[in-house]
Amino acid sequence: IGEYMAPYRGRFENTNQGQNQRGKRKGLKIINNVAGRSFGILSSGMMSGLTSPGRPWFKLATPDPDLAKYTPHRQWLDGVGRAMQTLFAKSNLYNVLPSLYGELAPFGTGCLQEVEDAQSVIRFYPYTIGEYGLAQDNRLVVDTFTRQYVDTVRNVVATWGNSPGLSERTRTLYRTGKLEDSVHLVHIIEPNQDRKVGGFGYRDMPFVEEYWEAMGDSQEPLERKGLAERALFAPRWDVTGNDLWGKGLGHDILGDVKQLQFKERRSEDVLEKHTSPPLEAGAALRGKRLSLLAGDVTYTDPANTGGTAVRPIVQTHPQAFQYATQNIGEMERRIRSACYEDLFLMLANDTRSGITAREVEERHQEKMLVLGPVLERLNEELLDPIIDRTFAIMQRRSEPFWKGMIDGNPLIPPPPKGLENEALSVEYTSILAQAARATNTRGIEAFGMFVGNLAAVWPEVLDKVNADNLVNEYADAQGIPAGIMSTDEEIAAKRAAKAQQQQQAQFAAMAPAIEQTANALKTAGEAVPQDGSTLSNIAQQAGAAGLASPLN
């Protein structure tokens, strides 16, 4: 796969020569690079559709939806989510994710590490296929990582110059000024088997990370530290059973790609033989001048034409090259289709005018039909762990002894009352994630239109619909930020204010009648007999006119 599709990805050569092979030309077996271009489009499409830096692609929520209804809870969740998005933008995450997707699709396995950084809080390091080994636990989660790599003496001493694990050879090379010589290193991340649950310090953290000098003379590592969370992520494109390594699209199209290179060579051979075929000439022309240039003349003896005739040995069919080109085009189409290029470029390749928003939505859902299982695996093996570890790092940096600040504020402010010990969940709001939920929103839209049409004839049907819940469900399915939606308390206050305004308007409209009745009562009151008969008659008349409340 590396030789025929992704020549500059992967490091499969001998470790001793790894440093010397960097920057050298590769891909000498590639003549037609349609597979490489298709993988590039797939990687860019996944980057923009799944983890676009230009728009929020996730939001924090609570497993209990009732907790998120309170305004302080929603504001805190939205604020922390925006802080995480800002932190991702300031780090190098969006620079390394395209590289990860570029390895994940052809090889089936990608690898990425997240480390705590003094300058940007977090930083990500991608690793290429072939330079690392993996292992997984009984839950089929990759938890062990090791790699051999080469670095220079200068960098090793700058990083671990005071470590007891630094070999005497490296120290000697540094003292003698051979700063660019190679040093072979081993990097290991694995579960901490000696951990004491509930213990404090790096010795009792769930994972341990070590650096060793591969050919050193010390029994100590260059560095050993504990990791509070899983910091190594190895997403797979597709996995069979309990296999460790994933299967990517490169495995599926490898035969087509190799055949394509073969047919490209043969088609060029056909074209060359058609334009400059091999010739047969008589022995009499041996040593004679013979020209194949256009417009040139070769002189022969007419008496010996049969012995001096020049004719092609191989005569190709006039349409042979056209047939070969059509066959190559069909193979290219198969490769592009296998890499979903037609799905990610369907709008760019569509030259029709008047494409509706509904059609665009339907086409996005087509992507989900084929990429849905892959995206679910990416959520579980890549995005969820990244968000979990980033949240944990931000939480630690917000503690008093870290004094972690961004623009003068803690990375994560204290949670409001009711969320202190609650577990949080993640909801993805990217373009592809919304396309996955589009079936639900389309059903809500159809239901709303159906009820609206019925209400035009039978208005009482609206009593069957809870409009507030309808809007809430649609907003959740579309990933609308919580700050846009009003809470139940805010809605109740708005409706109470409207009811009060309507009541005041009603009394204002009744004011003339009330004043007329009051004047009549005043006039009658001046001549009211002791038995109250006149006042009683007036009250009855006012009640019959609908003025009982003002009279009361």
Side-chain angles (χ1 to χ4, degrees), residues 42-43 45-51 57 97 100-105 108-112 230 233-239 340 344 368 370-388 426 428 430 432:
L42 175 60
S43 173
M46 293 183 65
M47 181 67 190
S48 60
L50 195 62
T51 52
W57 49 272
L97 280 180
L100 178 72
Y101 295 144
E103 295 218 351
L104 181 65
T109 304
C111 194
L112 182 69
R230 182 160 60 97
F233 320 117
R236 280 81 58 89
W237 186 270
D238 187 23
V239 177
Y340 309 118
F344 284 100
M368 292 305 306
V370 293
L371 290 177
V374 176
L375 300 182
E376 290 296 331
R377 182 176 291 278
L378 283 177
N379 290 344
E380 180 181 353
E381 297 185 347
L382 177 65
L383 302 182
D384 285 349
I386 286 179
I387 294 175
D388 291 344
V426 179
Y428 293 101
S430 63
L432 295 180

Side-chain angles (χ1 to χ4, degrees), residues 163-167 202-203 210-214 216-224:
S163 172
L166 195 65
S167 69
Y202 80 91
R203 298 181 183 274
E210 297 178 348
Y211 287 88
W212 293 77
E213 192 170 341
D217 50 11
S218 175
Q219 299 298 318
E220 294 292 330
L222 292 170
E223 181 182 2
R224 178 187 287 120

Side-chain angles (χ1 to χ4, degrees), residues 35-95:
R37 292 193 298 270
S38 295
F39 280 129
I41 294 173
L42 175 60
S43 173
S44 300
M46 293 183 65
M47 181 67 190
S48 60
L50 195 62
T51 52
S52 173
R55 55 167 295 164
W57 49 272
F58 74 93
K59 68 176 184 178
L60 299 181
T62 58
D64 184 1
D66 293 335
L67 290 175
K69 293 181 180 180
Y70 299 103
T71 302
H73 294 180
R74 299 174 67 180
Q75 292 177 347
W76 185 83
L77 292 172
D78 286 350
V80 175
R82 287 193 297 268
M84 295 181 70
Q85 296 278 8
T86 302
L87 196 60
F88 287 147
K90 290 184 177 181
S91 70
N92 65 330
L93 175 64
Y94 297 120
N95 293 332

Side-chain angles (χ1 to χ4, degrees), residues 236-476:
R236 280 81 58 89
W237 186 270
D238 187 23
V239 177
T240 302
N242 63 346
D243 289 350
L244 172 63
W245 297 94
K247 181 180 73 70
L249 300 177
H251 298 79
D252 298 331
I253 65 174
L254 180 57
D256 290 335
V257 173
K258 295 179 71 173
Q259 187 179 10
L260 178 62
Q261 311 308 318
F262 173 76
K263 290 191 174 183
E264 280 283 3
R265 292 189 182 94
R266 295 300 296 268
S267 66
E268 292 298 325
D269 187 49
V270 170
L271 179 61
E272 188 176 2
K273 287 181 178 179
H274 184 73
T275 56
S276 181
L279 302 178
E280 176 187 15
L285 292 177
R286 185 187 301 274
K288 301 279 183 80
R289 177 182 177 274
L290 184 64
S291 175
L292 298 179
L293 297 177
D296 207 349
V297 179
T298 298
Y299 296 95
T300 61
D301 187 355
N304 299 321
T305 304
T308 59
V310 179
R311 58 181 180 271
I313 298 176
V314 179
Q315 295 185 1
T316 60
H317 193 278
Q319 296 181 336
F321 184 74
Q322 178 182 354
Y323 295 150
T325 304
Q326 292 176 352
N327 186 260
I328 290 174
E330 175 62 22
M331 297 202 66
E332 291 179 345
R333 187 196 65 77
R334 284 159 46 184
I335 293 173
R336 291 192 179 101
S337 178
C339 295
Y340 309 118
E341 180 178 329
D342 51 345
L343 290 177
F344 284 100
L345 295 181
M346 55 187 173
L347 296 180
N349 295 332
D350 196 339
T351 58
R352 296 177 300 141
S353 60
I355 300 178
T356 63
R358 171 64 68 184
E359 184 176 355
V360 174
E361 180 183 350
E362 294 286 347
R363 292 190 175 192
H364 279 304
Q365 293 178 27
E366 288 182 9
K367 298 178 185 179
M368 292 305 306
L369 293 177
V370 293
L371 290 177
V374 176
L375 300 182
E376 290 296 331
R377 182 176 291 278
L378 283 177
N379 290 344
E380 180 181 353
E381 297 185 347
L382 177 65
L383 302 182
D384 285 349
I386 286 179
I387 294 175
D388 291 344
R389 176 160 169 79
T390 302
F391 182 86
I393 293 175
M394 294 173 66
Q395 200 170 29
R396 284 196 297 271
R397 291 295 184 96
S398 299
E399 295 176 359
F401 60 88
W402 274 104
K403 296 181 180 180
M405 297 286 178
I406 290 183
D407 299 331
N409 298 317
L411 299 183
I412 296 182
K417 185 177 181 180
L419 287 182
E420 296 90 343
N421 299 318
E422 288 292 331
L424 303 181
S425 60
V426 179
E427 295 181 4
Y428 293 101
T429 59
S430 63
I431 295 176
L432 295 180
Q434 289 185 6
R437 295 193 295 266
T439 303
N440 185 26
T441 59
R442 190 165 64 245
I444 295 175
E445 291 176 359
F447 175 74
M449 294 177 63
F450 174 74
V451 173
N453 294 334
L454 288 181
V457 182
W458 299 291
E460 61 271 13
V461 77
L462 295 176
D463 298 335
K464 186 69 175 178
V465 181
N466 188 324
D468 291 344
N469 290 341
L470 182 69
V471 173
N472 290 336
E473 291 292 335
Y474 191 84
D476 290 340

